[in-house]
Amino acid sequence: MASEGKQDQNTAATRASEIIASNGLRITNQRVALVKLLLESDDHPDAVELHRRLRASDASISLATVYRNLASLESVGVAERHYFEGHGARYESTISEHHDHIVDLDSDEVIEFQSEEIEQLQQEIAKKLGYEVVHHRLELYCRKL
């Protein structure tokens, strides 16, 4: 199982590199490291946390470099910025299946989930109103019962 996860991450990293290159951006070591870190992260880190993690393997990476590369990755659709209520910008890779988020208001934990019923309902509502869904985000802000 662990090797399957690593293989999926390698495939996703390759796909991200292809997207970056096809959009005219250079494939730099810093971009590759940032993409891999985003793919490995399951906690939607902010830029400061990404910088801290990257410096563990490359002390020369500056926070400004992280911000610049996040902006570049976001512009080509490889990274996505979220502004969860009450927090600054947090990031995740877009090289995965679509998912939505629950934000636990007490712990600040962000939980990813997928629901075919919700996806279908959104499509039906948009169609009924004469629209086609092009992109959407669903964030539920919750407290445990």
Side-chain angles (χ1 to χ4, degrees), residues 83-133:
Y83 288 104
F84 298 121
E85 192 173 291
H87 296 279
R90 294 169 72 172
Y91 297 88
E92 71 177 333
S93 167
T94 59
I95 309 297
S96 62
E97 288 190 38
H98 170 75
H99 60 269
D100 296 306
H101 298 95
I102 290 177
V103 179
D104 184 313
L105 292 171
D106 296 320
S107 70
D108 289 334
E109 182 181 9
V110 178
I111 299 106
E112 296 177 352
F113 72 95
Q114 293 176 309
S115 169
E116 286 305 315
E117 294 103 335
I118 290 174
E119 297 302 315
Q120 185 62 40
L121 184 57
Q122 291 173 125
Q123 295 292 332
E124 290 172 12
I125 291 169
K127 187 175 181 178
K128 189 183 296 183
L129 296 172
Y131 289 91
E132 173 188 9
V133 175

Side-chain angles (χ1 to χ4, degrees), residues 29-101:
N29 290 339
Q30 294 157 332
R31 283 191 182 123
V32 169
L34 187 54
V35 166
K36 286 183 179 179
L37 185 56
L38 286 169
L39 288 166
E40 294 167 1
S41 299
D42 59 0
D43 60 343
H44 305 81
D46 62 14
V48 172
E49 179 59 21
L50 288 165
H51 176 245
R52 187 192 68 73
R53 293 176 191 178
L54 286 168
R55 285 188 52 92
S57 61
D58 182 354
S60 70
I61 292 179
S62 71
L63 184 56
T65 298
V66 171
Y67 276 111
R68 262 193 319 276
N69 280 294
L70 282 170
S72 295
L73 295 175
E74 189 179 2
S75 73
V76 298
V78 172
E80 185 169 21
R81 180 184 350 187
H82 294 280
Y83 288 104
F84 298 121
E85 192 173 291
H87 296 279
R90 294 169 72 172
Y91 297 88
E92 71 177 333
S93 167
T94 59
I95 309 297
S96 62
E97 288 190 38
H98 170 75
H99 60 269
D100 296 306
H101 298 95

